[in-house]
Amino acid sequence: MTILVTGGCGFIGSNFILEWLAQSDEAVINVDCLTYAANPKNLVSLAGSNRYRHVHCSIGDGDRISALLAENEVRAVVNFAAESHVDRSILGPAAFVETNVVGTMRLLDAVRGYYDGLAADARARFRFVHVSTDEVYGTLTPEARPFREGDPYRPNSPYAASKAASDHLVRAYRETYGLPTLTTNCSNNYGPYHFPEKLIPLVILNAIAGKALPIYGDGLNVRDWLYVSDHCAAIRLVLERGRVGETYNIGGSSEMTNLAVVNEICAVLDAQRPALRPYADQITFVRDRPGHDRRYAVDAGKIRAELGWRPTETFASGIRKTVAWNLANETWIADVTSGAYRSWIARQYA
């Protein structure tokens, strides 16, 4: 059997593929068009494997996707492919609409055509898992309960709006065409292979380089954090045992302010790579992001009750692993932080 993973050279997708092939006998076809945040080197350990294949292709290329599905008798699709950085969506929304909305629609069309041609037993086994974000729900006040699956969507950034639209399309293809879809909405991830434009890898990179550690606004925006391996385990369970047509929220129950996250990273770095002065001395507050959501948090009670999933890492244990990985993989970091990356960071945090 074979599964098709989209966006498998990105942060979460590459972790998912590595763990999938370590724990399953099924082959993986990785469809990734290799945008700036995708890195085939994340999967260099799979070179020569007869169970892994990367296809340089956009999810918007419906003809190519259709051919791949048919040629490989794919039994499931896991869709990670997305433009995912809020800051970039504020500066250029069009790319997010093109990939996250139009691309998802074209992928769904290709999958629907393939699914309609399957024999009855293959149709009964087939699944389409759409990986989304907690940001589709909007923002929470400090006293509000975490978001649940039935809560209304109120996206506040172009990124969140584009992902909300993709979620609605996935639901519509289930309700209109009978495609066996499932959707996951996850809180903030962190861990190995995280492209260093996001908070945690950026802070680690800047800290060891002796640069400022930029924090938006007052640093009191709250996020729920989940170690990436725990997210991958949840997606595997949803694919294996999730109820068709359902949405599952995946969260780490680790709500922290951005300032607390940065201070925790600094404390871990102080222990793992001591410097002449505490890393927290490098913290710098910068102009806030437009429309910056104050708090995200999701209630993961449904996936716990139905599928028995729970995170295995606390934020304390996960951040120690993440810092250690970054310190041990400085060549990987140097490869992905090109001149274009440096220009982006300089402009964004000026």
Side-chain angles (χ1 to χ4, degrees), residues 1-3 19-28 50-51:
M1 305 295 290
T2 299
I3 67 167
E19 295 184 17
W20 179 272
L21 291 173
Q23 300 179 34
S24 169
D25 293 331
E26 289 187 274
V28 173
N50 60 5
R51 294 195 296 127

Side-chain angles (χ1 to χ4, degrees), residues 52-265:
Y52 171 73
R53 176 186 171 198
H54 170 229
V55 178
H56 191 174
C57 171
S58 166
I59 59 171
D61 188 344
D63 291 341
R64 189 81 185 279
I65 298 290
S66 296
L68 287 170
L69 292 166
E71 291 165 4
N72 295 280
E73 298 181 357
V74 169
R75 71 99 176 167
V77 174
V78 184
N79 181 34
F80 292 98
E83 295 284 349
S84 65
H85 191 32
V86 172
D87 291 343
R88 290 182 185 264
S89 80
I90 293 169
L91 290 177
F96 288 74
V97 173
E98 182 61 33
T99 297
N100 300 353
V101 184
V102 178
T104 298
M105 180 198 68
R106 290 176 176 158
L107 174 65
L108 286 164
D109 272 340
V111 173
R112 177 169 69 95
Y114 169 72
Y115 174 76
D116 287 347
L118 292 176
D121 59 338
R123 284 166 62 93
R125 292 192 303 268
F126 187 84
R127 297 290 184 271
F128 181 101
V129 176
H130 177 64
V131 180
S132 191
T133 172
D134 59 357
E135 297 189 38
V136 298
Y137 297 114
T139 188
L140 286 167
T141 58
E143 70 281 358
R145 63 161 175 78
F147 290 118
R148 295 172 183 157
E149 286 82 356
D151 287 344
Y153 279 19
R154 293 191 177 97
N156 291 320
S157 70
Y159 161 63
S162 68
K163 287 299 290 183
S166 71
D167 292 6
H168 291 319
L169 283 169
V170 170
R171 172 183 168 82
Y173 273 66
R174 163 64 185 167
E175 296 300 316
T176 302
Y177 305 113
L179 193 65
T181 66
L182 305 99
T183 296
T184 61
N185 294 96
C186 191
S187 58
N188 283 27
N189 279 213
Y190 65 100
Y193 303 111
H194 203 177
F195 189 75
E197 65 182 356
K198 305 291 179 71
L199 177 66
I200 287 177
L202 174 65
V203 166
I204 297 170
L205 172 63
N206 278 16
I208 61 180
K211 297 179 180 179
L213 310 182
I215 300 179
Y216 284 132
D218 60 8
L220 300 183
N221 301 76
V222 174
R223 302 293 182 262
D224 176 26
W225 293 93
L226 182 68
Y227 191 65
V228 65
S229 290
D230 284 324
H231 186 191
C232 294
I235 294 169
R236 291 195 302 273
L237 280 173
V238 170
L239 176 57
E240 178 185 354
R241 301 205 307 270
R243 289 185 290 135
V244 168
E246 293 295 314
T247 294
Y248 294 91
N249 284 345
I250 305 170
S253 298
S254 296
E255 290 188 57
M256 299 177 69
T257 66
N258 289 343
L259 181 58
V261 168
V262 174
N263 276 311
E264 182 72 14
I265 293 169

